[in-house]
Amino acid sequence: KDQKELYFNNPMWPGEAHSLKVEKILFKEKSEYQDVMVFQSSVYGNVLVLDGIVQLTEMDECAYQEMITHLPLCSIESPKNVLVVGGGDGGVLREIARHSSVELIDICEIDKMVIDVSKMFFPDLAIGFEDPRVRLHIGDAVEFLRHAPEGKYDAIIVDSSDPVGPAQELVEKPFFETLARAIRPGGVLCNMAESMWLHTHLIQDMVSICRETFKGSVHYAWTSVPTYPSGVIGFLLCSTEGPPVDFKHPVNPIEKIEGALQHRRELRFYNTEIHKAAFCLPSFVKEEVKAL
Ligand code: AAT
């Protein structure tokens, strides 16, 4: 009974729990920041779990990594400098590498163990680290952004874990202010923004913070990821003041970028049609997150 109670106690989704059949535990250790576990599942391939929360599975990671990357990068012309916050598995790096205009990919991940584990058990994601444009910074993104040069990045992708544990400060206003400062005028942010079924208040808070800090536009988009609680996850897309960004009509369509569809491996989920569709919101979400 106690074990069952524990399952239903995650503060991000109290009263519900999700199950995947475990074939074999491949790794289980405590890092300086969190519990890190990898298991082989029966249906979804290898699964990365941090502090008891599924971060990705080999089967459905494409839906998350491709969307969080190409929604922002296809919305601006020839992105050059890109920063990834979190994302220690390397999947987002793999996706950014499809963009031949990109010259620099900075990544700031707090936990080296996530990177090491990805290299051992998720070779199709860790391959992202092999791109010569990648510069790895191990440390807290809050600190990293405090010192980032103003206007350095065309795009920042915040691929961080839920705001319990090391990612707590990543949903607070001071952090968004440093993000906005580090992005050039007319540049973009794509921030992991939880589930529209479970996290209305968190999304509302993030939207209002972003409306205050990003003077361009702020939009919510979403995708389907079966192994995330409620089966969907959203993104906040924001632009800084400057040349306007029309997120809903990508100016840099992936299909037109030479070699992008096959770089390292084929694009499995993202295309321009799904980009546009990702911004269509259910009525209750439109109502709750006013006029997105
Ligand atoms: N692409 C996989 C999805 C993730 S991983 C999130 C990463 O963010 C983890 O590797 C974690 O160590 C890192 N992280 C957390 N806090 C910080 C921080 N303060 N600075 C830098 N990196 C950090 C996210 C999946 C979302 C799941 C939604 N339920």
Side-chain angles (χ1 to χ4, degrees):
K1 181 168 179 296
D2 288 352
Q3 191 67 25
K4 259 194 197 147
E5 285 303 314
L6 207 75
Y7 284 149
F8 292 115
N9 259 347
N10 189 300
M12 291 297 294
W13 31 85
E16 62 181 293
H18 305 260
S19 313
L20 289 178
K21 187 170 180 209
V22 177
E23 290 296 332
K24 196 174 167 196
I25 306 257
L26 301 173
F27 184 94
K28 198 171 184 326
E29 261 182 55
K30 220 176 168 59
S31 77
E32 208 180 316
Y33 301 98
Q34 50 207 347
D35 288 324
V36 180
M37 183 185 40
V38 179
F39 69 88
Q40 184 196 332
S41 69
S42 330
V43 186
Y44 284 87
N46 289 351
V47 181
L48 173 67
V49 184
L50 299 177
D51 283 343
I53 299 176
V54 170
Q55 304 294 314
L56 64 90
T57 82
E58 286 182 306
M59 196 186 98
D60 62 8
E61 55 92 3
C62 61
Y64 177 81
Q65 328 268 17
E66 293 181 15
M67 291 296 270
I68 198 172
T69 306
H70 304 304
L71 288 174
L73 295 190
C74 292
S75 296
I76 52 174
E77 245 141 347
S78 39
K80 289 193 175 56
N81 296 336
V82 184
L83 168 66
V84 180
V85 168
D89 50 82
V92 170
L93 302 175
R94 177 194 71 209
E95 291 308 315
I96 297 172
R98 294 183 194 274
H99 290 259
S100 48
S101 65
V102 169
E103 293 168 0
L104 168 73
I105 312 173
D106 274 334
I107 172 168
C108 179
E109 160 65 53
I110 202 168
D111 196 344
K112 185 171 178 294
M113 192 183 281
V114 174
I115 300 169
D116 295 340
V117 152
S118 185
K119 289 182 177 165
M120 284 189 272
F121 302 108
F122 300 92
D124 285 349
L125 289 102
I127 197 169
F129 284 100
E130 287 172 26
D131 194 283
R133 295 167 287 180
V134 171
R135 279 212 317 234
L136 172 61
H137 310 264
I138 308 250
D140 188 346
V142 173
E143 204 44 38
F144 182 86
L145 274 141
R146 264 190 214 131
H147 302 110
E150 197 174 331
K152 174 169 183 180
Y153 298 105
D154 300 288
I156 300 183
I157 296 168
V158 180
D159 175 20
S160 72
S161 25
D162 301 298
V164 278
Q168 188 104 41
E169 284 180 65
L170 306 187
V171 295
E172 292 167 9
K173 191 168 179 197
F175 182 66
F176 282 99
E177 285 168 348
T178 61
L179 288 170
R181 206 182 58 87
I183 298 173
R184 63 140 167 101
V188 292
L189 167 74
C190 183
N191 207 101
M192 190 279 283
E194 301 296 354
S195 159
M196 60 193 181
W197 290 107
L198 303 173
H199 306 118
T200 311
H201 294 296
L202 184 57
I203 297 170
Q204 281 169 332
D205 288 351
M206 285 169 83
V207 167
S208 61
I209 290 173
C210 286
R211 287 221 173 102
E212 285 163 26
T213 43
F214 286 82
K215 300 283 158 45
S217 51
V218 177
H219 289 280
Y220 192 79
W222 59 287
T223 188
S224 143
V225 181
T227 56
Y228 285 161
S230 86
V232 298
I233 194 146
F235 310 103
L236 262 181
L237 285 128
C238 311
S239 62
T240 52
E241 199 167 18
V245 176
D246 182 359
F247 285 112
K248 298 181 183 179
H249 302 95
V251 289
N252 180 26
I254 199 88
E255 295 84 0
K256 297 240 168 83
I257 303 171
E258 212 190 312
L261 302 185
Q262 294 298 334
H263 188 81
R264 300 282 195 190
R265 73 167 199 189
E266 83 283 15
L267 206 55
R268 293 184 181 165
F269 191 90
Y270 177 89
N271 54 50
T272 295
E273 277 177 305
I274 215 157
H275 178 126
K276 294 177 183 165
F279 293 90
C280 298
L281 302 181
S283 303
F284 79 91
V285 182
K286 280 194 190 181
E287 179 53 31
E288 283 167 354
V289 196
K290 288 281 184 278
L292 275 169

